[in-house]
Amino acid sequence: MPSVRTAADLADLRTETLAAQKAKPVWITVCTGTGCCAYGAEGLADGFESEIDKRGLGRQVGLRRTGCHGFCERGPLVVIEPKGICYLHAQAKDIPTIMDKTVLGDEVVTRLLYLDEETGKRVRTAAEIPFYKHQKRILLENNVLIEATSILDYIGVGGYSALAKALNQMTPDAVIQEVKRANLRGRGGAGFSAGVKWETTRNASGAPKYAIVNGDEGDPGAYMDRSLLEGNPHSVLEGLIIGAYAMGATEGFIYVRQEYPLARKHAQMAIDRAREYGFLGANILGSGFDFDVTIHRGAGAFVSGESSALVNAIEGHVGEPRPKYTHLSEKGLWGKPTCLNNVETWANVPFIVNRGADWFRSMGTANSKGTKIFSLVGKVKNSGLVEVPMGITLRDIIFKIGGGLPAGKKFKGVQTGGPSGGVLPEALLDLPVDFDELDKVGSMMGSGGMIVMDEDTCMVDMARYYVNFLAHESCGKCVPCREGLRQMLTILDRIAGGQGREGDIELLEELSEFMEMASLCALGKSAPNPVRSSIRYFRHEYEAHIREKRCPAGACSALIQYEIDQTKCSHPPCGACARACAVEAIQKIDTGAYWVLQEKCIKCGSCYTACPDKFHAVRKAPVAWPAWQFPSTPVRTEITV
Amino acid sequence: MIETITATAAEAFPLDVVVIDDEEMFGEGCRQTLEMGGYRSAVARDGLRGLDLVRAARPSVVLLDLKMPGMDGIEVLSRLSEAEPGIVPIVVTGHGTVDSAVESMKGGAFDFLTKPFEPEKLLESVRRGMSLSALRKAKESAKEKPVDAAPATVQDKHNLLLRGLDVLGEAYSLGLDKRELIDELSYLEAEAKYHAESLGHIKKKERAILDIRHDLQQADAIMEKYDFRKGALIQVLLDVQEKLRWLPRHILHWVGARLNVSAREIYTIANFYEAFSLEPRGRHCVQVCDGTACHVRGSSELLSRFSVMLGLEPGTTDSRQEFTLETVHCMGCCALAPVAQIDNQYYHDPSKKKLEKIIETFANEENIPCQA
């Protein structure tokens, strides 16, 4: 095992690695990120491996199982290097064809290439696919090029050279100044300057000092941290070591969600390899700097992603936030100075050290620099992870990269910032995405979840979803957050269930204001955002629920019922809906037509999806309410406990 | 047409409940309700066939109609209590008079339900019947025990005494109090009893004691890995959860005592974090993702489909600890939304037909540890 003692050793190792890689003229890259694995990518990679063995091509053809490429919607993804030919939805049965045509020959398998719907042409490489073309991939770029578990692959793409540069050519202060000048802001959501945090930790008295990677990605609908830890864990680790050097920390922790077993495994492997090669431990790269890292598994609690709660969790306590009279950088883990940054923030550090603050500042807007990874999901054609420069408009992300909405649906809103963020309507689509602009319109950057909603998404239901999530995740320590969320949930349940009253909207607004002022931590302070923003931009939907007992989007199950439109149903009826029904609520009547028995129906939507598109006979109709259910006079709502 | 299960088929599928009723639709309705409650059941159309089925399948509870052609309910009742004392009969009838109720109760019926009734009422009654039957059966087997078990010889007893002396000597050499040791041992014995009761399927005392001994030993091995550090509490509990699929009470107390953490603190932690379960979980874990991306693409509909197919409310486990159904906040495969995970397999929006197949495969599969 070669131990790397100096920067020269590292350079030699890199040259060797690259030479070894060059010896194989063709490399098959299979994405084995979680998304692609769910589509069977592991089996596909195994298939390639045995095919290479079978044909005795072990010396000419290499195989790499990489982390997430980002284009999860079209997985499993296969890229054949060096030509960069990108195949989507590749299946095991395609392996022999791919081997014959592309690996050994000089042809492409056209049907597996990306079809550009606008031009009607198929494109060969990833760079030509609109999804990738409009991105600026810096952090994610290496995900495609390296095997996550191989430290040599990482060194091959220039890994750990930033560490060598920082340790050998820069003082800790110089590193901090560089990061400060780059204006790297925390990618976890709050956007606090990383350099300033490091400086405070450095200047705080007390030893030892701790550096922590926050990988408790709790935002439902975001998975960029997972992809980085799974696909390129060394980049996060390298950033952490550089930061530790700059702030004088001697011990580090990587906090990984328990729900991400693969990320944990890869991060652990990265730590073990780095220790073997001498990037962790005593006297790193001969600089006299000592540092080591341990993994801490989370046990599933959204609030534990809050920095002081996370510190509590590492200490082995309940992950509740601490009051913020003293900063963690002064009194953190076990009362010692502690610096905590998000996975993505740490991953940016090696690039800043290597390429300089000026390069980093060349991307982005006045106060938000660099790139940001978003998880673009929901009702969008190309779901996946996208990395874009700060300042790009929402419209570009959703329509240029995401390809717009599927099945010709109309755009309604986009939620940024997860449960702490807000929903933005179509009128704000040209908003440049950066920390401050999103704050201004009542949302936030957050960790980078971006959930696209179409006309079938109900805003009341979404607000209820987030409030339900937060009410469940609130640690219960402070009253405004615990009780405020509970009351909000009661009201929203009522509205979505057709029992809303006049005055409910105002009451929600009042509660929001109060929670924002009085909650202890950011969870409670930002919890009303989804409710507030949806009222601000979609008030009419709330009113339709309350006054007309109608869900305009047809999503609130208490306000809709499934019906079969007999004029559209096929003749004779195909019966697909009845076969799909899980509770036998669709029955054939004497005339041969099918009918939905409302009292049996559990509104699972199976019939709706099962009805062939050419008929589209199953429809969501408003529930016919008896007249007495409508309150005739406005009722002032009382809070009920 | 509902077929009566023949005796041979019933042997292959031991049943929890046998329904004896001549009304076809009613019997089938009961069967479906029971299935949703997690009980295996079958229907017989008359008294004679019912008794055959009972003899073959040895259920715990029998649902019995009073008015039937041929052999009527009261007669079946009397034959039942003769043949199978462990079985709990529940009478269901459309003709609920005081007389018939009194007669049924005298005949040994445990409960008396008048048609029509709410499914919940039926399930509640069956649930109570099941536990009564378990009690009766345990008593029966206790009566039989002296015949089954080989009597302890004088030699056995003396060997045990010698081992006891070893332990006692060792305790004194470590400066331990005998009284204290005995107290702790009786406490652990009580824990074993509680454990057996809460699981419901452990019948023998020695089995329960060996069971918790095994658990505690595993917990020790895990704690050793973390050098018995107090700060590693969450990591220890995570490992235990992974091994046992839940955190039984004896484990919490044991770990607390060894790591010097108070019971209050350890319970707070076990309740606070989502990964821990204080109730036994199923062999297979069905997780329906309710992340935002899945939610907007219809995860609630998927969840209700799973719920109906498994007969389980979200967040519950069936009585035989086969399946646990629960929702999770984001699995990080949002591009596949709406998505569900069973053990370590992902499924993208399965239809009813596909679900049936999937559930069947898992139900027949060998034990795969369920990841919390």
Side-chain angles (χ1 to χ4, degrees):
Chain A
M1 190 57 58
S3 181
V4 183
R5 292 274 114 222
T6 60
D9 283 357
L10 180 66
D12 289 348
L13 189 58
R14 185 174 177 204
T15 327
E16 269 171 46
T17 310
L18 288 178
Q21 285 175 358
K22 278 247 169 65
K24 292 184 182 178
V26 185
W27 283 86
I28 302 169
T29 304
V30 182
C31 172
T32 51
T34 304
C36 282
C37 275
Y39 282 120
E42 278 293 349
L44 186 70
D46 290 345
F48 270 114
E49 200 171 316
S50 57
E51 188 76 17
I52 292 170
D53 273 354
K54 206 170 80 190
R55 301 192 183 197
L57 293 171
R59 284 164 179 277
Q60 292 99 42
V61 182
L63 174 75
R64 256 191 212 115
R65 295 163 196 251
T66 69
C68 181
H69 294 192
F71 203 10
C72 309
E73 184 84 39
R74 306 293 181 94
L77 306 171
V78 175
V79 181
I80 313 289
E81 302 283 5
K83 279 175 252 166
I85 303 210
C86 177
Y87 290 135
L88 315 165
H89 281 322
Q91 300 297 323
K93 62 175 166 36
D94 301 321
I95 293 175
T97 329
I98 295 177
M99 290 294 285
D100 287 337
K101 284 196 166 174
T102 317
V103 178
L104 299 175
D106 205 16
E107 292 170 71
V108 291
V109 188
T110 321
R111 69 190 158 83
L112 294 173
L113 291 174
Y114 178 83
L115 174 69
D116 192 332
E117 277 172 17
E118 267 178 33
T119 57
K121 280 187 187 154
R122 294 201 180 254
V123 298
R124 294 160 68 100
T125 63
E128 298 165 74
I129 300 175
F131 177 79
Y132 290 108
K133 195 160 73 185
H134 300 288
Q135 294 188 44
K136 186 154 184 77
R137 292 164 70 89
I138 291 166
L139 302 178
L140 286 178
E141 193 193 7
N142 288 338
N143 263 22
V144 189
L145 303 175
I146 62 173
E147 197 157 306
T149 50
S150 158
I151 192 171
L152 288 176
D153 271 6
Y154 183 61
I155 290 173
V157 294
Y160 289 107
S161 59
L163 178 66
K165 183 178 172 190
L167 290 182
N168 295 325
Q169 299 167 25
M170 294 166 88
T171 61
D173 269 330
V175 176
I176 289 181
Q177 288 319 316
E178 197 69 12
V179 174
K180 253 173 93 176
R181 210 163 58 80
N183 195 10
L184 172 63
R185 297 174 67 173
R187 273 16 181 188
F192 192 77
S193 161
V196 173
K197 238 189 210 177
W198 294 11
E199 199 168 35
T200 332
T201 313
R202 178 167 185 79
N203 294 336
S205 60
K209 289 175 180 163
Y210 299 104
I212 301 176
V213 177
N214 183 352
D216 190 38
E217 193 170 40
D219 173 0
Y223 59 110
M224 57 288 293
D225 293 351
R226 167 185 209 156
S227 286
L228 282 173
L229 278 175
E230 282 180 4
N232 194 357
H234 283 287
S235 68
V236 181
L237 190 60
E238 189 183 358
L240 177 68
I241 306 171
I242 295 172
Y245 167 72
M247 68 186 88
T250 49
E251 252 184 84
F253 290 91
I254 301 183
Y255 187 102
V256 190
R257 280 181 90 196
Q258 177 262 351
E259 289 90 333
Y260 290 175
L262 191 63
R264 195 172 78 221
K265 189 174 140 204
H266 285 181
Q268 186 62 56
M269 282 171 100
I271 291 173
D272 294 343
R273 287 296 96 71
R275 208 177 281 139
E276 276 167 23
Y277 278 76
F279 301 120
L280 280 177
N283 193 14
I284 297 169
L285 292 178
S287 64
F289 170 61
D290 308 338
F291 183 66
D292 215 334
V293 181
T294 326
I295 288 200
H296 184 98
R297 270 174 301 162
F302 178 69
V303 70
S304 286
E306 198 271 344
S307 53
S308 64
L310 189 141
V311 163
N312 272 342
I314 293 185
E315 288 181 10
H317 301 302
V318 167
E320 287 174 346
R322 302 173 177 177
K324 299 281 166 39
Y325 311 121
T326 44
H327 286 289
L328 289 180
S329 35
E330 280 149 17
K331 235 177 166 184
L333 191 60
W334 292 297
K336 304 292 181 198
T338 302
C339 178
L340 188 139
N341 281 123
N342 170 263
V343 169
E344 197 184 332
T345 319
W346 289 116
N348 269 300
V349 173
F351 290 100
I352 295 174
V353 169
N354 254 342
R355 304 188 189 176
D358 290 324
W359 164 81
F360 192 76
R361 291 177 67 85
S362 69
M363 298 173 290
T365 59
N367 285 316
S368 306
K369 303 291 184 195
T371 62
K372 175 80 191 88
I373 308 177
F374 288 99
S375 100
L376 182 63
V377 296
K379 302 283 184 66
V380 61
K381 258 189 210 158
N382 304 328
S383 281
L385 283 188
V386 302
E387 184 176 352
V388 288
M390 296 271 191
I392 189 174
T393 63
L394 284 166
R395 191 183 295 282
D396 281 353
I397 296 181
I398 297 168
F399 289 92
K400 271 194 183 164
I401 298 175
L405 280 71
K409 293 277 183 183
K410 210 171 151 307
F411 174 88
K412 185 186 262 182
V414 57
Q415 173 94 10
T416 65
S420 306
V423 57
L424 304 172
E426 192 170 7
L428 292 174
L429 271 182
D430 290 311
L431 191 80
V433 176
D434 77 2
F435 287 103
D436 311 301
E437 291 294 328
L438 286 174
D439 259 1
K440 273 186 218 156
V441 291
S443 183
M444 65 187 280
M445 176 80 94
S447 57
M450 196 170 268
I451 291 104
V452 182
M453 302 164 193
D454 67 4
E455 52 194 303
D456 294 337
T457 316
C458 168
M459 287 302 155
V460 177
D461 180 59
M462 282 319 289
R464 186 173 65 137
Y465 168 80
Y466 281 117
V467 170
N468 183 29
F469 173 82
L470 291 163
H472 187 78
E473 294 293 345
S474 164
C475 73
K477 189 172 179 174
C478 71
V479 178
C481 171
R482 184 185 66 221
E483 294 306 316
L485 282 167
R486 210 163 68 154
Q487 294 309 336
M488 270 189 173
L489 186 59
T490 311
I491 299 168
L492 287 166
D493 271 341
R494 184 158 78 207
I495 298 177
Q499 309 291 324
R501 310 165 192 168
E502 286 298 329
D504 273 355
I505 301 177
E506 291 72 21
L507 192 59
L508 283 172
E509 286 172 330
E510 210 175 298
L511 273 169
S512 303
E513 203 176 318
F514 167 67
M515 283 173 65
E516 196 179 315
M517 282 190 297
S519 294
L520 185 64
C521 82
L523 188 142
K525 282 183 195 300
S526 58
N529 278 352
V531 177
R532 269 191 153 173
S533 60
S534 58
I535 294 182
R536 180 165 162 190
Y537 299 117
F538 300 95
R539 199 183 183 97
H540 54 277
E541 286 201 19
Y542 280 81
E543 287 168 350
H545 280 76
I546 295 174
R547 296 193 184 139
E548 299 159 44
K549 312 276 178 231
R550 185 175 63 85
C551 176
C556 292
S557 63
L559 300 183
I560 56 149
Q561 59 188 28
Y562 288 92
E563 287 175 0
I564 297 167
D565 188 338
Q566 302 299 345
T567 56
K568 285 186 181 170
C569 190
S570 66
H571 289 288
C574 70
C577 50
R579 282 194 299 278
C581 181
V583 290
E584 288 164 14
I586 299 182
Q587 305 241 324
K588 204 174 196 169
I589 54 172
D590 297 343
T591 59
Y594 283 91
W595 213 259
V596 184
L597 301 178
Q598 297 301 339
E599 58 274 25
K600 262 193 163 182
C601 178
I602 55 164
K603 297 180 186 172
C604 72
S606 296
C607 51
Y608 190 73
T609 9
C611 184
D613 284 340
K614 54 183 170 185
F615 305 126
H616 203 69
V618 179
R619 63 168 180 220
K620 297 176 185 174
V623 168
W625 288 86
W628 55 265
Q629 294 236 355
F630 286 87
S632 49
T633 46
V635 182
R636 166 69 186 163
T637 336
E638 299 298 331
I639 295 183
T640 47
V641 178
Chain B
M1 183 67 207
I2 296 141
E3 281 177 40
T4 309
I5 295 184
T6 59
T8 37
E11 267 163 23
F13 301 98
L15 299 172
D16 297 321
V17 183
V18 163
V19 183
I20 308 177
D21 199 312
D22 58 322
E23 271 179 65
E24 187 180 321
M25 286 315 289
F26 179 77
E28 178 58 15
C30 282
R31 199 190 61 73
Q32 282 181 7
T33 309
L34 289 167
E35 196 175 80
M36 281 195 208
Y39 301 110
R40 287 162 296 187
S41 64
V43 188
R45 297 280 301 281
D46 60 53
L48 222 50
R49 275 192 270 182
L51 283 171
D52 278 349
L53 186 57
V54 168
R55 267 193 287 276
R58 295 181 59 91
S60 301
V61 172
V62 172
L63 289 183
L64 186 60
D65 190 15
L66 281 184
K67 285 253 163 77
M68 285 186 294
M71 192 190 289
D72 76 350
I74 296 295
E75 194 180 342
V76 176
L77 204 56
S78 71
R79 290 202 189 187
L80 257 182
S81 43
E82 267 169 41
E84 305 278 349
I87 291 176
V88 174
I90 296 173
V91 167
V92 283
T93 182
H95 317 276
T97 60
V98 178
D99 283 350
S100 58
V102 171
E103 202 178 348
S104 309
M105 290 307 191
K106 270 189 188 161
F110 162 68
D111 202 354
F112 188 87
L113 300 175
T114 320
K115 297 180 198 173
F117 46 75
E118 294 292 310
E120 290 78 33
K121 209 169 164 190
L122 174 68
L123 287 177
E124 174 58 22
S125 181
V126 167
R127 194 186 60 74
R128 285 192 291 126
M130 291 287 290
S131 47
L132 179 66
S133 162
L135 214 65
R136 284 185 185 171
K137 281 182 179 167
K139 265 189 192 158
E140 281 302 305
S141 69
K143 265 191 225 158
E144 289 162 12
K145 205 153 102 194
V147 189
D148 279 10
T153 62
V154 180
Q155 190 58 44
D156 287 340
K157 200 169 139 194
H158 283 192
N159 282 342
L160 275 179
L161 272 176
L162 287 178
R163 268 162 64 194
L165 280 178
D166 282 349
V167 173
L168 208 57
E170 209 174 313
Y172 281 128
S173 76
L174 291 170
L176 287 171
D177 183 13
K178 181 182 80 183
R179 193 67 250 160
E180 200 183 309
L181 213 59
I182 291 176
D183 280 353
E184 302 243 337
L185 265 179
S186 359
Y187 164 72
L188 284 174
E189 193 191 345
E191 279 296 299
K193 201 175 149 216
Y194 174 83
H195 179 61
E197 274 166 11
S198 59
L199 278 184
H201 61 75
I202 302 177
K203 299 291 177 237
K204 290 189 175 161
K205 215 184 219 173
E206 59 264 33
R207 172 70 212 289
I209 287 177
L210 287 179
D211 240 37
I212 76 162
R213 186 181 177 280
H214 179 247
D215 287 358
L216 300 180
Q217 217 173 8
Q218 283 199 326
D220 272 353
I222 289 167
M223 284 188 280
E224 203 177 344
K225 219 169 71 190
Y226 295 96
D227 299 328
F228 295 95
R229 270 186 300 115
K230 191 177 173 179
L233 175 63
I234 295 173
Q235 309 300 305
V236 169
L237 293 182
L238 277 172
D239 283 356
V240 174
Q241 167 82 41
E242 205 170 297
K243 268 239 154 71
L244 305 179
R245 304 202 305 261
W246 67 300
L247 301 178
R249 190 171 87 175
H250 55 267
I251 285 282
L252 289 178
H253 291 191
W254 184 260
V255 169
R258 298 227 59 176
L259 299 185
N260 193 20
V261 181
S262 70
R264 183 197 66 84
E265 198 173 338
I266 204 165
Y267 271 99
T268 320
I269 284 174
N271 272 311
F272 179 83
Y273 291 104
E274 215 113 299
F276 303 129
S277 161
L278 295 174
E279 268 151 37
R281 290 160 61 93
R283 286 199 301 141
H284 304 294
C285 203
V286 182
Q287 298 180 317
V288 179
C289 180
D290 195 26
T292 321
C294 288
H295 187 81
V296 300
R297 289 206 201 168
S299 65
S300 339
E301 282 87 356
L302 181 61
L303 180 65
S304 59
R305 232 174 293 156
F306 262 107
S307 183
V308 168
M309 305 295 290
L310 288 168
L312 284 176
E313 284 296 308
T316 59
T317 305
D318 64 311
S319 59
R320 289 189 309 287
Q321 283 144 34
E322 283 284 331
F323 288 101
T324 296
L325 175 66
E326 61 185 11
T327 59
V328 289
H329 300 310
C330 201
M331 300 176 180
C333 22
C334 308
L336 274 77
V339 65
Q341 191 183 16
I342 307 180
D343 298 344
N344 290 321
Q345 281 282 325
Y346 293 92
Y347 298 95
H348 161 69
D349 203 9
S351 66
K352 175 196 166 198
K353 231 186 186 165
K354 235 176 160 182
L355 262 183
E356 270 169 3
K357 247 189 218 150
I358 295 168
I359 291 172
E360 202 179 318
T361 335
F362 276 97
N364 296 332
E365 209 172 77
E366 277 309 295
N367 201 353
I368 294 173
C370 172
Q371 242 190 13

